[in-house]
Amino acid sequence: KIVGNQMVYRHDPPAGSGFLRTLLFGESGMIVDGNVLAVDPVFEPGFNADDAIKIMNTGENFGIFNKERMLSLDARNKVDDGDTLFYSFNGLRTQTYHVNITPDNFESATLLAFFEDRYTHTSTPLSLTDSNFIDFTITADVASTSPTRFYIVFKSCSPVPVTWVSIKARRTNNTMVEVKWVVDNDINILKYETERSADG
């Protein structure tokens, strides 16, 4: 590492690789550590030369825990439904930290991601197309410093089972259209949204 550059040199990744970059910011707003999940079919499963063991800092360390190792780069050939990215940390101080999780070419039409906090028992949905910002606090409670406090779980976003029985639309006046529909088996539906096309 050199002044002005916090990265260790690596060869360029394969074209089309996807990344999930995680940066940890201290209370002052300075980056204190970070890690990367890289995904590409050319990467071999398991721990190998595609991965990078974490170079430990004298202060805060925030890495990915995989195969009994803390990694700064975890390279995987795919991410599927039910896969989990376990974080590990040490050296964090009693203060509020900010996590920035940024996907890069990581978009997946079939996956959802959730940032899980075992200490606060919270689950935060993550965007796989835009940056995510999450705050957390290290307190005097020893449980808040558990190295296995955080993880990301990936889940399939396959269509919810629903059977359309009928749908009708009728004009009620010059500016309003009433839409009615009937469905069966609408399991775990929170709401429906209707959209109007301006160009047909």
Side-chain angles (χ1 to χ4, degrees), residues 11-19 21 38-43 104-106:
H11 60 78
D12 290 336
S17 296
F19 300 95
R21 305 178 194 278
V39 180
D40 194 283
V42 303
F43 295 139
D104 179 6
N105 197 36
F106 201 84

Side-chain angles (χ1 to χ4, degrees), residues 152-187:
I152 293 176
V153 62
F154 297 94
K155 297 179 181 178
S156 173
C157 62
S158 56
V160 175
V162 63
T163 303
W164 289 91
V165 176
S166 68
I167 183 166
K168 297 177 183 178
R170 71 177 185 91
R171 184 183 300 269
T172 58
N173 60 42
N174 285 340
T175 60
M176 302 291 290
V177 174
E178 180 182 73
V179 180
K180 292 184 177 181
W181 61 86
V182 178
V183 296
D184 282 337
N185 302 321
D186 53 343
I187 302 167

Side-chain angles (χ1 to χ4, degrees), residues 22 27 46 53 76 95 106 112 118 127 145-146 152 161 173 181 186 197:
T22 302
E27 211 164 42
I53 293 178
R76 302 185 184 188
Q95 63 173 325
F106 201 84
L112 300 172
R118 287 186 173 107
S127 170
T145 64
S146 170
I152 293 176
N173 60 42
W181 61 86
D186 53 343
S197 171

Side-chain angles (χ1 to χ4, degrees), residues 3-186:
V3 173
N5 187 343
Q6 298 178 335
M7 300 303 295
V8 175
Y9 176 80
R10 290 183 66 89
H11 60 78
D12 290 336
S17 296
F19 300 95
L20 198 62
R21 305 178 194 278
T22 302
L23 294 176
L24 179 66
F25 293 81
E27 211 164 42
S28 67
M30 298 289 293
I31 297 173
V32 295
D33 207 10
N35 57 71
V36 178
L37 170 67
V39 180
D40 194 283
V42 303
F43 295 139
E44 297 292 329
F47 178 75
N48 53 50
D50 293 327
D51 304 300
I53 293 178
K54 180 94 181 70
I55 300 173
M56 302 303 281
N57 302 309
T58 56
E60 293 99 330
N61 292 281
F62 198 80
I64 298 170
F65 189 73
N66 195 354
K67 306 294 182 187
E68 304 299 319
R69 299 174 177 90
M70 189 187 283
L71 306 175
S72 59
L73 172 65
D74 185 0
R76 302 185 184 188
N77 58 359
K78 61 182 178 176
V79 175
D80 287 327
D81 177 37
D83 283 350
T84 306
L85 179 70
F86 293 100
Y87 290 110
S88 182
F89 65 83
N90 61 48
L92 271 60
R93 301 167 187 163
T94 304
Q95 63 173 325
T96 297
Y97 287 91
H98 315 280
V99 177
N100 178 356
I101 301 173
T102 303
D104 179 6
N105 197 36
F106 201 84
E107 183 176 359
S108 172
T110 61
L111 284 179
L112 300 172
F114 298 88
F115 183 85
E116 307 287 341
D117 185 338
R118 287 186 173 107
Y119 176 65
T120 61
H121 306 290
T122 56
S123 178
T124 305
L126 297 177
S127 170
L128 294 179
T129 59
D130 201 359
S131 294
N132 303 271
F133 301 92
I134 301 166
D135 293 344
F136 69 91
T137 303
I138 298 296
T139 68
D141 185 349
V142 174
S144 75
T145 64
S146 170
T148 60
R149 176 174 169 176
F150 304 114
Y151 63 97
I152 293 176
V153 62
F154 297 94
K155 297 179 181 178
S156 173
C157 62
S158 56
V160 175
V162 63
T163 303
W164 289 91
V165 176
S166 68
I167 183 166
K168 297 177 183 178
R170 71 177 185 91
R171 184 183 300 269
T172 58
N173 60 42
N174 285 340
T175 60
M176 302 291 290
V177 174
E178 180 182 73
V179 180
K180 292 184 177 181
W181 61 86
V182 178
V183 296
D184 282 337
N185 302 321
D186 53 343

